[in-house]
Amino acid sequence: MSKLEELKPNAAVRGILPDGLASVISVQWFGSEALELTYKTPVGKVANELLYRHDEPRLEVVTQGRPWSFDGDGRLFRLVSEAQRIRLAHLFDPVLAVHTSVVEPLPHQITAVYDVMLPRQPLRFLLADDPGAGKTIMAGLLMKELLARGDLHRCLVVCPGSLAEQWQDELYRRFHLPFEILTNDKLEAARTGNWFLETNLVIARLDKLSRNEDVQAKLKTPDCRWDLIVCDEAHKMSASIFGGEIKYTKRYRLGQLLSTLTRHFLLMTATPHNGKEEDFQLFMALLDGDRFEGRFRDGVHATDVSDLMRRMVKENLLKFDATPLFPERIAYTVPYKLSDPEARLYKEVTDYVRDEFNRAEALQNDKRAGTVGFALTILQRRLASSPEAIYQSLRRRRERLEKKLRELELLQRGAEVATAIASTVPTLDEEDVEDLEEAPDNEVQAAEEEILDQSTAARTIAELNAEIGTLKRLEALALALRRSGEDRKWRELGRLLNEIFTPGGNGDRLAETPMPYRTGPIEPPTPSPHQKLVLFTEHRDTLSYLESRITTLLGRKEAVVLIHGGMGREERTKAQEAFKHDPEVQVLLATDAAGEGINLQRAHLIVNYDLPWNPNRIEQRFGRIHRIGQTEVCHLWNLVAAETREGDVYRTLLEKLEQARQALGGQVFDVLGKLQFEGKPLRDLLIEAIRYGDLPEVRARLTQVVAHAFDRQQLQELLEDRALAHDAMDATRVFRIREEMERAEARRLQPHYIESFFLEAFQQLGGTTKQRELRRYQITHVPAPVRNRDRLIGVGEPVLPRYERIAFEKALVAPQGQPLGRLHLPARRHDLLPRGRYGSPAGARAREGRRVVRPGRRHVHDGSDRGGGVREEAAAEARGPDALRVRGGGAGQRRALQEGSGARRGASLQAAEHLHALTSAGRVRVGSLGSWPPVDQRDPYNLLGA
């Protein structure tokens, strides 16, 4: 360190330039604490710089004629070389992200990231593995690897609104990546006016981006480029061809925009193909617009997409011991017959729905007719759900229409009020209805309530009065049924719950007939009070109704927890954790809010109390329990009302589904969402059954349509289409992956090296650590330079002034009965230490131009007791030119090398090459010293300790 007063003209100063000496030309003082230094660089360029007292530690006036005097700080040199080795750890650990994340990946996840995606530069890829295969884990591993390799700084994840919080939780908990979710408040509070420019790790909701042109304009800003964009549930961004014309959706337009804003573009979906090749190729154009450009022609534009996507189906996924990853699954149909009061209410409500459908069609207004039709289907579904749901729906609809009637009477007494009525009715087009089917549960509930309560086909006050009279009559019938307590559907569920939770229950009554599966019959679950069951319903009123009934049946209120779209994130997480870990909780009651992105594999039993009109929902619900980590055979019960119009259609569908399962295996559940019934979705088929199901010829035709949808050949084609770019995994491949993982475990930079480096560097900066358990430490003081590292190197999570425990191995983070630790690993860009050019405090000094090796001082450091560190020795009494000699360290290092630490050897060679570059630049001179052994020209710095 030199004082400012020592800076005189013609003096040579180290610390001004990063790679050489500065020659002082003149000095101009400003008071006593600052001066302006004018200097000349080694190439003759003149420059100036303001220097203050706090710059003195980095300045050193060099005595002319002795630039290599060997007063280098060996401790700092050791830290710099070790930091450089850590920085290069990814070169010697082919699966670095696995070793630095809290995950235990499976073979198919390893191959997806390291064999398929990482070698592609730039990456334009569709990851289409089955639901529950762990695509979020694969995306996280990819991000972590790209971060470690310096190829990722800014990342955007686009996902459905209901999955944003889950993405944030998973990426932070498993990979320690602090993503932020885009909100209106953050957009408005942005310092620069564009929040995307200020935030590097972002999660955005799909519809927030697709529907808001202002947000898209911010994304289009020239400086707003991304290194990686990940789109989850990417099938929502598809377009379609109808009548020879391409119908672009707002989501598809967003996909086109995102594709132009990033270098790496990853689409993730379990359902990339809807059965139409032309739509699929439009979707693939998001990845490669050139290849899929132009109008689709059948038989001409068939394209091999194996280089753009990968798909693995559940049945082909294996664990590291080559056993199947997923257990078997089976579905049962549980029919029940309506009682006389229920049958009367069903007939009356269905007739009302049919009549209103016919009146809506007569309006000659497609949008309004579509809205009224949607409202009537909601009513019909609630009729099938529970007496409570249909009563509350009829009551609310009657009250809202009465309110509307009073308003209209004030406007036009006795006149034609079609315009006035139409102006108050919300309108939906076909795209809006499709969006609602894919929308989060809370949005669906709100939209359904508004549409159901306000949509009417009435054109005059008289027609509206008549409809209100019909609703009053239906409401009275529903109230009488509700008060009677007659509910055959609940009675069937209660019997089922008793058989599941009561030991000694009659398991044969769980289904109509024993159901074989693949190689042999699957036994019904053994009755036990310790089992957990998930029960799905579609309506909030039914949810509350069932909560009361089931708690009475089980005798404990704490036995039931709820999840629905109206719950906040914290409440939902609390309910999910209680269901997983609380032994008192037996039943999870849920709407489809729990069918989206929630992992419930703690249970293996599921009941569909209400059957969704979109069969894709059955697949999604089943996928909540049939996931990675599930060890039990999964059982699903579907409750179906016999002798009802839509019930007959659904029962036929479920029977055909079971026949297909027996023939083709459990994979048929994964193509439910792709079934087409003469080109129509199931919803249209059920509406037709409600409107015309009293005609025998219609019933026969509908049965034939459902049967044809499950034609063996057609199902086989669907399963083959589902394979697309099919990737198989046999036992030989799994064993090869396991062997490679074991080899990588041996080659990787071992945690004790990180531990040794961190403890020494942290102490150098003024930090205080105390060992509390074996290889677990308490940090009692984090110095200010470390705490301020966010301000120095970027945005990250805050550094605390103290930590109860830190550890350097995943196994030591949370040992049983000991405090939770904080994990410190290599290649984490937000670790405690500021990263300079070499990723360490010493590296930061090197970046500022401060020498690591200085003339004139002898310093010996041997770190062999802490993981085999290198020893630096410098001698002042060198013969001939001043020289630096770096020698390999002690026995600990040799033992590590003998045990096969390839990372140590390879990284040391990298450090040797780096030191060789310094000698070539004239910054360090190397020579032999008389008392030392001869120099090995293959390892001139003896860093390998040979």
Side-chain angles (χ1 to χ4, degrees):
M1 183 180 86
S2 297
K3 295 287 187 181
L4 293 180
E5 286 78 6
E6 298 177 35
L7 300 178
K8 304 292 184 183
N10 299 321
V13 182
R14 182 182 293 120
I16 302 295
L17 300 175
D19 56 354
L21 299 179
S23 179
V24 178
I25 296 176
S26 67
V27 176
Q28 182 180 355
W29 283 88
F30 297 96
S32 61
E33 299 298 317
L35 60 80
E36 182 180 15
L37 178 71
T38 304
Y39 61 90
K40 184 184 292 185
T41 67
V43 295
K45 182 180 177 181
V46 177
N48 57 7
E49 182 176 345
L50 283 174
L51 298 176
Y52 300 88
R53 289 290 179 189
H54 64 72
D55 291 317
E56 288 180 343
R58 68 181 176 95
L59 300 177
E60 183 179 0
V61 176
V62 178
T63 304
Q64 288 295 328
R66 296 191 63 211
W68 313 108
S69 301
F70 296 99
D71 64 344
D73 188 333
R75 176 186 290 263
L76 286 181
F77 179 78
R78 186 252 174 182
L79 289 176
V80 169
S81 58
E82 192 72 355
Q84 172 72 352
R85 186 163 72 94
I86 293 172
R87 182 171 175 265
L88 298 172
H90 70 277
L91 299 176
F92 308 98
D93 185 354
V95 290
L96 181 67
V98 174
H99 293 141
T100 57
S101 307
V102 188
V103 293
E104 296 296 337
L106 292 154
H108 68 280
Q109 295 171 336
I110 296 290
T111 56
V113 176
Y114 294 96
D115 291 353
V116 179
M117 291 193 287
L118 273 177
R120 286 176 164 82
Q121 296 291 329
L123 176 71
R124 319 286 290 187
F125 200 70
L126 170 61
L127 185 60
D129 287 0
D130 263 359
K135 291 187 287 294
T136 307
I137 299 296
M138 301 181 211
L141 286 172
L142 176 67
M143 293 175 196
K144 202 71 180 287
E145 279 291 348
L146 292 176
L147 273 169
R149 298 167 189 223
D151 200 23
L152 176 64
H153 181 60
R154 286 171 52 78
C155 180
L156 171 64
V157 175
V158 180
C159 62
S162 58
L163 301 182
E165 287 85 2
Q166 184 187 352
W167 266 96
Q168 187 183 40
D169 290 344
E170 290 279 309
L171 290 174
Y172 183 79
R173 182 167 56 89
R174 296 183 180 277
F175 303 99
H176 219 73
L177 297 175
F179 276 76
E180 293 189 45
I181 297 176
L182 172 67
T183 62
N184 288 333
D185 292 341
K186 290 175 180 175
L187 285 174
E188 294 168 1
R191 297 186 301 275
T192 62
N194 190 340
W195 183 74
F196 293 112
L197 293 175
E198 302 170 8
T199 314
N200 292 328
L201 300 177
V202 175
I203 296 173
R205 293 176 171 87
L206 174 62
D207 288 331
K208 175 70 177 175
L209 297 184
S210 64
R211 298 175 183 175
N212 193 321
E213 293 182 0
D214 292 337
V215 177
Q216 291 184 31
K218 295 181 187 295
L219 276 173
K220 293 176 185 176
T221 305
D223 294 335
C224 193
R225 297 281 302 176
W226 303 89
D227 301 311
L228 170 66
I229 293 181
V230 178
C231 296
D232 192 18
E233 302 294 341
H235 61 276
K236 295 177 185 288
M237 295 196 300
S238 59
S240 59
I241 297 178
F242 186 76
E245 295 295 325
I246 299 176
K247 180 185 175 185
Y248 293 108
T249 62
K250 293 178 181 178
R251 293 171 175 174
Y252 186 83
R253 294 292 190 193
L254 173 66
Q256 290 178 313
L257 170 63
L258 295 176
S259 180
T260 65
L261 299 177
T262 180
R263 179 164 178 259
H264 301 301
F265 194 38
L266 176 62
L267 303 179
M268 300 189 348
T269 175
T271 53
H273 204 299
N274 65 358
K276 300 178 181 177
E277 180 64 24
E278 58 269 32
D279 291 357
F280 174 67
Q281 294 203 15
L282 269 176
F283 177 60
M284 294 302 290
L286 294 175
L287 295 175
D288 190 341
D290 295 334
R291 187 192 303 189
F292 300 96
E293 184 64 36
R295 187 181 299 274
F296 174 82
R297 285 184 293 166
D298 193 22
V300 177
H301 282 181
T303 306
D304 179 21
V305 295
S306 58
D307 60 327
L308 285 177
M309 70 174 290
R310 185 191 89 151
R311 178 160 186 79
M312 278 197 160
V313 296
K314 284 182 175 180
E315 285 68 28
N316 296 331
L317 299 183
L318 304 174
K319 293 184 282 189
F320 275 111
D321 59 0
T323 58
L325 177 59
F326 288 93
E328 296 165 334
R329 46 184 165 166
I330 185 171
Y332 309 98
T333 301
V334 182
Y336 62 93
K337 189 175 180 179
L338 298 179
S339 64
D340 291 341
E342 289 175 313
R344 182 186 173 193
L345 177 64
Y346 176 83
K347 180 181 183 305
E348 296 284 346
V349 173
T350 302
D351 289 345
Y352 165 72
V353 168
R354 182 187 60 197
D355 294 343
E356 291 300 310
F357 255 117
N358 295 335
R359 279 173 49 181
E361 282 188 348
L363 291 174
Q364 296 182 343
N365 181 331
D366 290 342
K367 277 203 169 186
R368 189 177 168 199
T371 305
V372 174
F374 184 70
L376 295 171
T377 60
I378 297 170
L379 202 63
Q380 190 74 28
R381 284 157 57 192
R382 294 190 176 184
L383 170 65
S385 180
S386 68
E388 180 70 17
I390 187 60
Y391 168 71
Q392 296 294 348
S393 299
L394 290 169
R395 179 185 61 79
R396 285 193 292 262
R397 181 170 173 82
R398 189 258 308 162
E399 291 175 353
R400 292 295 289 269
L401 292 184
E402 284 179 340
K403 180 181 177 182
K404 181 179 293 188
L405 177 63
R406 291 192 295 270
E407 293 172 354
L408 293 172
E409 286 174 340
L410 291 174
L411 292 173
Q412 292 176 319
R413 293 182 178 275
E416 189 80 15
V417 292
T419 304
I421 293 178
S423 64
T424 61
V425 175
T427 57
L428 295 175
D429 57 22
E430 189 176 341
E431 185 175 332
D432 292 330
V433 173
E434 289 177 4
D435 285 349
L436 268 181
E437 292 213 349
E438 302 289 350
D441 182 62
N442 54 334
E443 290 184 22
V444 173
Q445 287 282 346
E448 285 187 351
E449 293 299 338
E450 181 185 6
I451 293 166
L452 178 60
D453 295 347
Q454 297 186 40
S455 301
T456 175
R459 291 172 293 182
T460 64
I461 289 179
E463 287 183 1
L464 192 57
N465 254 320
E467 183 174 354
I468 291 173
T470 302
L471 287 171
K472 286 180 177 178
R473 181 170 55 82
L474 295 177
E475 182 184 349
L477 283 174
L479 179 61
L481 178 63
R482 177 172 174 257
R483 287 175 174 170
S484 72
E486 184 68 39
D487 186 354
R488 290 286 177 86
K489 188 177 184 181
W490 157 250
R491 193 174 297 176
E492 197 65 37
L493 176 64
R495 184 183 302 119
L496 183 62
L497 293 177
N498 278 327
E499 291 169 347
I500 289 173
F501 292 124
T502 306
N506 185 3
D508 291 339
R509 297 174 63 182
L510 294 180
E512 296 165 288
T513 55
M515 303 290 184
Y517 184 92
R518 290 188 183 175
T519 56
I522 296 178
E523 293 294 327
T526 304
S528 168
H530 304 297
Q531 297 182 115
K532 291 183 184 283
L533 177 140
V534 183
L535 193 149
F536 278 103
T537 179
E538 290 204 307
H539 311 291
R540 204 83 55 82
D541 294 324
T542 303
L543 198 74
S544 303
Y545 170 75
L546 289 176
E547 181 188 20
S548 172
R549 289 263 186 163
I550 294 175
T551 51
T552 302
L553 176 70
L554 298 179
R556 291 178 294 107
K557 185 173 179 60
E558 62 273 15
V560 179
V561 293
L562 281 72
I563 291 181
H564 56 77
M567 297 173 68
R569 178 181 178 183
E570 186 176 349
E571 281 184 285
R572 189 183 303 194
T573 303
K574 184 177 179 181
Q576 186 179 343
E577 291 301 306
F579 180 70
K580 285 183 182 178
H581 304 298
D582 189 343
E584 297 296 320
V585 177
Q586 294 175 275
V587 176
L588 170 64
L589 277 174
T591 61
D592 280 307
E596 301 162 337
I598 292 182
N599 303 324
L600 299 172
Q601 57 267 53
R602 172 65 179 83
H604 66 285
L605 312 175
I606 187 170
V607 174
N608 279 326
Y609 194 74
D610 297 333
L611 286 167
W613 282 26
N614 179 357
N616 199 34
R617 293 277 188 182
I618 294 181
E619 175 188 340
Q620 289 177 351
R621 292 176 180 181
F622 217 160
R624 293 309 99 206
I625 65 171
H626 196 248
R627 305 181 69 77
I628 291 175
Q630 180 60 263
T631 58
E632 303 288 335
V633 174
C634 294
H635 301 264
L636 166 67
W637 291 270
N638 296 303
L639 297 177
V640 182
E643 300 176 359
T644 63
R645 297 176 184 182
E646 67 272 33
D648 285 346
V649 172
Y650 230 123
R651 186 175 182 185
T652 303
L653 185 150
L654 293 171
E655 288 172 350
K656 295 297 180 182
L657 176 65
E658 176 54 32
Q659 292 172 13
R661 187 197 65 79
Q662 292 182 17
L664 299 173
Q667 57 187 331
V668 296
F669 292 110
D670 296 324
V671 295
L672 275 177
K674 299 193 185 100
L675 291 177
Q676 291 287 316
F677 304 89
E678 290 188 347
K680 300 177 182 177
L682 177 64
R683 180 175 175 274
D684 292 351
L685 212 65
L686 294 171
I687 291 173
E688 189 176 351
I690 292 164
R691 296 183 64 184
Y692 310 112
D694 53 342
L695 303 175
E697 62 272 19
V698 172
R699 285 195 168 194
R701 187 179 66 80
L702 291 178
T703 301
Q704 185 178 359
V705 168
V706 173
H708 179 68
F710 283 92
D711 177 72
R712 174 76 175 268
Q713 183 178 352
Q714 183 175 339
L715 273 178
Q716 195 70 49
E717 289 175 359
L718 273 178
L719 291 171
E720 289 172 1
D721 286 343
R722 175 170 163 258
L724 296 172
H726 181 64
D727 192 359
M729 181 166 287
D730 57 15
T732 304
R733 189 176 180 190
V734 169
F735 290 139
R736 178 181 60 80
I737 296 168
R738 185 171 72 178
E739 183 178 339
E740 290 174 356
M741 289 291 291
E742 291 170 351
R743 190 178 295 117
E745 179 72 23
R747 289 182 57 195
R748 73 184 180 110
L749 187 64
Q750 300 301 318
H752 59 268
Y753 293 124
I754 312 299
E755 179 181 349
S756 172
F757 168 77
F758 177 86
L759 294 176
E760 187 170 344
F762 191 65
Q763 183 181 5
Q764 178 88 5
L765 283 170
T768 307
T769 59
K770 296 181 179 178
Q771 184 167 350
R772 293 304 186 188
E773 296 92 27
L774 180 63
R775 304 197 66 187
R776 283 165 51 90
Y777 302 87
Q778 179 184 7
I779 294 182
T780 56
H781 169 64
V782 178
V786 176
R787 289 204 305 273
N788 294 336
R789 78 93 168 87
D790 280 343
R791 182 174 58 84
L792 297 174
I793 67 167
V795 179
E797 60 176 309
V799 176
L800 305 179
R802 65 193 64 84
Y803 288 85
E804 183 179 13
R805 292 293 186 275
I806 66 167
F808 300 87
E809 293 190 62
K810 289 190 284 187
L812 298 176
V813 172
Q816 190 171 3
Q818 296 180 12
L820 181 67
R822 170 72 181 272
L823 184 64
H824 288 278
L825 297 162
R828 282 175 47 171
R829 302 299 287 254
H830 39 280
D831 253 339
L832 287 180
L833 293 178
R835 296 175 64 91
R837 178 179 174 189
Y838 302 107
S840 73
R845 293 191 183 96
R847 182 188 58 205
E848 295 166 4
R850 299 175 63 186
R851 290 286 182 142
V852 182
V853 181
R854 300 190 185 96
R857 186 186 308 163
R858 176 182 177 87
H859 185 93
V860 179
H861 173 74
D862 185 354
S864 59
D865 289 339
R866 288 203 249 170
V870 296
R871 174 187 302 169
E872 296 85 36
E873 294 188 10
E877 303 83 23
R879 292 185 301 160
D882 296 328
L884 166 71
R885 184 73 166 86
V886 184
R887 294 198 63 198
Q893 180 186 358
R894 296 192 184 92
R895 281 196 303 273
L897 288 169
Q898 290 166 2
E899 290 166 5
S901 177
R904 175 92 188 158
R905 180 178 298 273
S908 297
L909 285 172
Q910 289 285 339
E913 292 170 5
H914 178 69
L915 192 56
H916 179 66
L918 293 180
T919 66
S920 301
R923 295 180 58 194
V924 177
R925 301 180 64 187
V926 180
S928 61
L929 302 180
S931 58
W932 289 12
V935 177
D936 183 349
Q937 296 303 319
R938 292 170 302 175
D939 180 17
Y941 314 113
N942 202 20
L943 288 176
L944 300 184

